[in-house]
Amino acid sequence: MADAAQSLMTVEEFYLWCETQEDRYELVDGVPVPLRAMAGASDPHDAIVVNLIIALGNQLAGTECRPSTADKAPRTAIKRVRRPDVTIECAPVTKKTYESRNPIAVFEILSPTTRKNDRTERLPEYMRHPSLRAIVHIDPDLMDVLVYTRGADGHWETERLFSEADAARIPGTDVNLPLSEIYAGIPLDIT
């Protein structure tokens, strides 16, 4: 990593460099940064990712869109690449690409180490991405989901969901994702 960090990388150089790495990285201002500072995901975090992949995969079946994991990464600026926990991408599967080419929604499961960064640094980056229509922040400890959606006028609106019956709707798709599916099997704190 020291060699890679000596000079700033372009996004293309970063994707090529990632092919030779065992761990996953993001690109922040041209510098590779270990994903989640090399920490693993908690059991609830991982279970929510799996729940999302299953629910989104079922709802998107037969469409041009599909869910993807943090192994695919959208470019958020000239020298920035992020790895959301789950992405909905609407582009054909192609060989040898690591970039999410047409992401329309990203899902971030908040954690104590990423919560501030997800809300203050990544959120504005995602909001500037031209193809994104929805950004979803999921608290793994409480049934609390923030859904940011881009309106037809280009402005972002925020909806907070708290109930099992509430559902995150993703513009441009038929996805209607009930919180009961997102949090299936997850023990939650009661506050």
Side-chain angles (χ1 to χ4, degrees):
M1 163 113 155
D3 291 339
Q6 287 177 354
S7 63
L8 299 181
M9 290 183 168
T10 66
V11 170
E12 290 74 17
E13 290 168 336
F14 171 73
Y15 284 125
L16 286 172
W17 177 81
C18 283
E19 290 181 27
T20 64
Q21 305 306 303
E22 289 185 22
D23 298 309
R24 288 185 293 185
Y25 292 81
E26 292 183 327
L27 186 66
V28 179
D29 296 330
V31 178
V33 177
L35 185 64
R36 306 277 189 254
M38 304 302 246
S42 69
D43 200 22
H45 182 286
D46 187 65
I48 290 171
V49 169
V50 171
N51 288 348
L52 286 169
I53 294 291
I54 291 168
L56 292 170
N58 288 335
Q59 290 192 32
L60 294 167
T63 72
E64 66 176 356
C65 303
R66 67 190 179 287
S68 63
T69 65
D71 286 330
K72 296 273 307 251
R75 181 186 312 222
T76 60
I78 292 172
K79 292 195 177 202
R80 285 189 179 232
V81 172
R82 295 296 187 177
R83 293 190 185 275
D85 293 304
V86 176
T87 302
I88 295 176
E89 180 173 20
C90 297
V93 174
T94 60
K95 293 182 180 183
K96 281 297 205 180
T97 185
Y98 300 94
E99 183 172 356
S100 182
R101 295 181 328 272
N102 188 33
I104 64 161
V106 294
F107 298 79
E108 292 282 9
I109 294 85
L110 305 176
S111 72
T113 57
T114 66
R115 182 179 308 267
K116 181 179 178 188
N117 190 307
D118 286 339
R119 289 185 172 158
T120 60
E121 190 172 334
R122 290 173 189 223
L123 180 62
E125 284 181 46
Y126 289 146
M127 287 180 163
R128 288 188 299 269
H129 194 289
S131 69
L132 282 177
R133 299 176 188 165
I135 303 159
V136 182
H137 285 170
I138 301 169
D139 190 313
D141 301 318
L142 305 167
M143 190 167 288
D144 186 5
V145 175
L146 277 171
V147 182
Y148 303 89
T149 54
R150 189 188 317 250
D153 62 0
H155 290 92
W156 288 89
E157 298 174 11
T158 306
E159 180 180 17
R160 188 169 221 147
L161 308 174
F162 294 101
S163 162
E164 284 188 359
D166 289 341
R169 290 167 183 78
I170 306 301
T173 71
D174 291 332
V175 169
N176 186 26
L177 192 59
L179 268 57
S180 61
E181 290 185 29
I182 294 172
Y183 287 99
I186 309 297
L188 300 172
D189 295 338
I190 305 297
T191 61

